[in-house]
Amino acid sequence: MQYDVVIIGSGPGGYVSAIRCAQLGLKTAVIEKYKTFGGTCLNVGCIPSKALLDSSEHYHNAAHTFTTHGIDLKDLSVNMSQMIARKDDVVAQNTAGITYLFKKNKIDSFEGLGSFVDKNTIKITKTDGTSETITAKNVVIASGSKPTALPFLPVDKKRIITSTEALNIKEVPKTMIVIGGGVIGLELGSVYARLGTKVSVVEYLPTIIATMDGGLGKELQRVLKKSLGMEFFMGHKVTGATAKGKKVTVSALNAKGEEVSLEADYCIVAVGRTAYTTGLGLENIGIKTEERGNKIPVNAHLETAVPGVYAIGDVITGAMLAHKAEDEGVFVAETIAGQKPHINYNLIPGVVYTWPEVASVGYTEEQLKEKGVKYKAGSFPFKASGRAKASMDTDGFVKVLADESTDEILGVHMIGPRAADMIAEAVVAMEFRASAEDIARICHAHPTYTEAIKEAAMAATANRAIHM
């Protein structure tokens, strides 16, 4: 069959791109190697992890804050089987939603491994070994990523596990080691820490969530240690891990070069993700991946070295974020249709779904200093927020960075309640190149968490925050 566009992969980048292509009148097909749509995000990433984060947060609040709220409970316990079952149901609802959207938009789908015969011909190999071919004027590679494997950290998927297996542990472990202080490790670590697991985080760098503004990592580490008892081994280089029976031993070197040994029931290896291109047949069309991260090189239009072949999402350079992949999916669809879309990569927000949540957009203080940009900074703590006091969510702050001369907002960084949702206000403001004064002059409903953004903007303009 001949298509205008064939998309390999049905994750957030792939399925969103397919829908936008169909909306633009392009005959579209999607090839997915697994039985369900949605890729890593919907099946073993964003959605299931947020389901467990939400469930574990309910339990943690019931165990630690309900009494203060005047709610007394007896015999509180964790039903792990039900928690996992609810997570699976959430996943099923979301993947079924994509099936519905494909039918609604008249998108054809094929189950199997898609690989290039030539730049316009795709072979689909099914699980039973049979195959078929389809042709397309344009092809979009949206094959995503997989957990990074390290030779000295052999994953057995039983005791030494990745984020995928961590979503299906059937009991609450007494102890757990998380290798990697990034987003994935901290989110999954906090799930089990809330349920009562003693969690130890081993990180090579001197700070957690190192790609975000430095102040956010310091505050998050402080809060996770205080509220969940999480232990942090910073500046530690992991040298190996071995599983014996029901225990895992992790060896590392601390900042002084001294050997350190840690033992736990489980070890989650969360040291990043690598672009997944296995079996795509890229060599058949002359595409070579980058040595670092296995990324597919693309130009400003997200087109590869082969005309008519595009790549989006985790498989190309940039942050591995579902919403980045979605925007790129729309961008490519509109480019193929002859439109002139744009993406401002500096304004793609990053979020960590711990509690408190962490969110960031634009330049960090470290980046502005490195660039030599003169800026103003204004911060406002949630402990001074009436809404945060009412909900007992007083940890964290909002920081606004603005150009010293023009007052244009250059970056907004926050850690606190519902930061994942609040960051959208900053993104909108920065898309329209607003000044800190603009946000300071906008009326924010009271009492809300977003008042902290206004106060931080006021602090950035003449240091005139009202409530501190």
Side-chain angles (χ1 to χ4, degrees):
M1 295 183 67
Q2 171 74 26
Y3 291 93
D4 294 317
V5 185
V6 166
I7 297 166
I8 301 175
S10 70
Y15 85 75
V16 168
S17 188
I19 292 171
R20 186 66 184 125
C21 283
Q23 289 176 342
L24 293 167
L26 302 170
K27 187 178 181 182
T28 306
V30 173
I31 302 170
E32 172 55 58
K33 66 181 292 189
Y34 296 111
K35 292 187 179 296
T36 56
F37 300 126
T40 293
C41 177
L42 267 67
N43 289 279
V44 292
C46 316
I47 299 302
S49 64
K50 301 314 164 284
L52 290 181
L53 280 161
D54 199 56
S55 295
S56 63
E57 182 66 12
H58 285 313
Y59 173 81
H60 186 262
N61 283 332
H64 297 278
T65 67
F66 273 20
T67 301
T68 305
H69 282 285
I71 304 170
D72 295 325
L73 296 174
K74 291 183 179 179
D75 304 320
L76 184 68
S77 63
V78 177
N79 183 339
M80 204 66 188
S81 296
Q82 174 56 29
M83 194 175 290
I84 297 295
R86 189 194 83 90
K87 177 264 296 180
D88 291 341
D89 183 58
V90 171
V91 170
Q93 290 179 47
N94 279 275
T95 55
I98 298 178
T99 301
Y100 162 76
L101 290 171
F102 278 5
K103 290 180 179 178
K104 174 187 174 184
N105 289 282
K106 297 179 174 58
I107 297 167
D108 290 342
S109 61
F110 297 87
E111 182 183 335
L113 176 63
S115 61
F116 287 94
V117 176
D118 57 50
K119 78 182 192 72
N120 299 111
T121 308
I122 306 296
K123 178 182 178 182
I124 305 165
T125 305
K126 303 176 183 179
T127 53
D128 62 5
T130 61
S131 64
E132 62 180 310
T133 60
I134 57 176
T135 59
K137 297 175 184 176
N138 301 278
V139 179
V140 180
I141 302 169
S143 50
S145 62
K146 62 179 181 179
T148 299
L150 298 175
F152 55 88
L153 282 175
V155 173
D156 62 12
K157 297 187 178 182
K158 294 178 181 178
R159 291 288 164 175
I160 304 175
I161 60 178
T162 69
S163 57
T164 300
E165 294 79 37
L167 296 170
N168 291 295
I169 297 177
K170 295 299 190 291
E171 76 280 349
V172 179
K174 290 183 179 180
T175 53
M176 174 180 285
I177 297 169
V178 176
I179 300 176
V183 178
I184 297 172
L186 294 178
E187 288 184 358
L188 291 173
S190 67
V191 165
Y192 289 99
R194 292 169 185 170
L195 300 178
T197 302
K198 175 61 179 179
V199 176
S200 300
V201 177
V202 183
E203 170 56 49
Y204 177 71
L205 297 173
T207 180
I208 58 175
I209 53 172
T211 59
M212 302 181 89
D213 191 272
L216 299 179
K218 291 177 183 177
E219 177 69 358
L220 181 60
Q221 184 175 337
R222 182 192 71 80
V223 175
L224 292 179
K225 183 177 180 180
K226 179 193 74 171
S227 63
L228 299 180
M230 291 176 67
E231 192 174 15
F232 293 88
F233 295 85
M234 309 306 297
H236 281 58
K237 180 182 179 181
V238 174
T239 56
T242 57
K244 188 174 182 181
K246 295 184 178 181
K247 291 293 181 181
V248 177
T249 302
V250 173
S251 57
L253 297 175
N254 64 18
K256 297 179 181 179
E258 301 166 335
E259 291 189 9
V260 176
S261 182
L262 302 172
E263 187 180 83
D265 298 331
Y266 288 91
C267 172
I268 301 177
V269 180
V271 293
R273 298 182 65 85
T274 303
Y276 187 77
T277 59
T278 303
L280 289 179
L282 298 180
E283 65 280 1
N284 295 334
I285 58 172
I287 291 180
K288 293 183 179 180
T289 59
E290 297 172 355
E291 187 173 340
R292 182 179 176 85
N294 201 41
K295 302 278 191 174
I296 296 175
V298 292
N299 62 18
H301 302 291
L302 304 185
E303 190 173 30
T304 69
V306 180
V309 178
Y310 300 81
I312 61 174
D314 287 4
V315 83
I316 67 171
T317 191
M320 290 182 168
L321 299 170
H323 45 283
K324 175 222 182 221
E326 290 180 348
D327 277 11
E328 289 175 339
V330 171
F331 179 95
V332 164
E334 293 178 350
T335 297
I336 292 171
Q339 298 184 6
K340 305 291 183 182
H342 86 284
I343 296 176
N344 184 343
Y345 282 99
N346 187 48
L347 298 188
I348 293 178
V351 178
V352 187
Y353 293 90
T354 48
W355 195 266
E357 293 176 338
V358 185
S360 179
V361 66
Y363 293 110
T364 65
E365 282 204 67
E366 292 79 8
Q367 289 171 329
L368 292 176
K369 289 176 181 177
E370 185 179 340
K371 289 175 176 290
V373 176
K374 293 184 179 181
Y375 67 93
K376 304 175 294 181
S379 293
F380 186 81
F382 279 102
K383 66 183 179 182
S385 160
R387 179 68 179 87
K389 289 176 182 175
S391 65
M392 297 174 61
D393 291 308
T394 55
D395 289 315
F397 60 86
V398 176
K399 180 196 292 184
V400 172
L401 306 176
D403 186 277
E404 187 178 271
S405 58
T406 68
D407 198 39
E408 180 179 350
I409 301 169
L410 302 176
V412 177
H413 312 280
M414 57 183 75
I415 173 170
R418 300 301 172 200
D421 300 302
M422 291 197 295
I423 197 66
E425 176 179 341
V427 177
V428 170
M430 292 174 70
E431 279 284 6
F432 286 92
R433 302 194 65 175
S435 65
E437 179 75 18
D438 288 328
I439 288 184
R441 294 290 179 184
I442 295 171
C443 184
H444 288 64
H446 175 77
T448 59
Y449 300 126
T450 59
E451 288 176 290
I453 302 176
K454 176 176 181 174
E455 293 273 2
M458 294 169 73
T461 55
N463 193 27
R464 65 180 205 269
I466 299 296
H467 291 93
M468 71 170 187

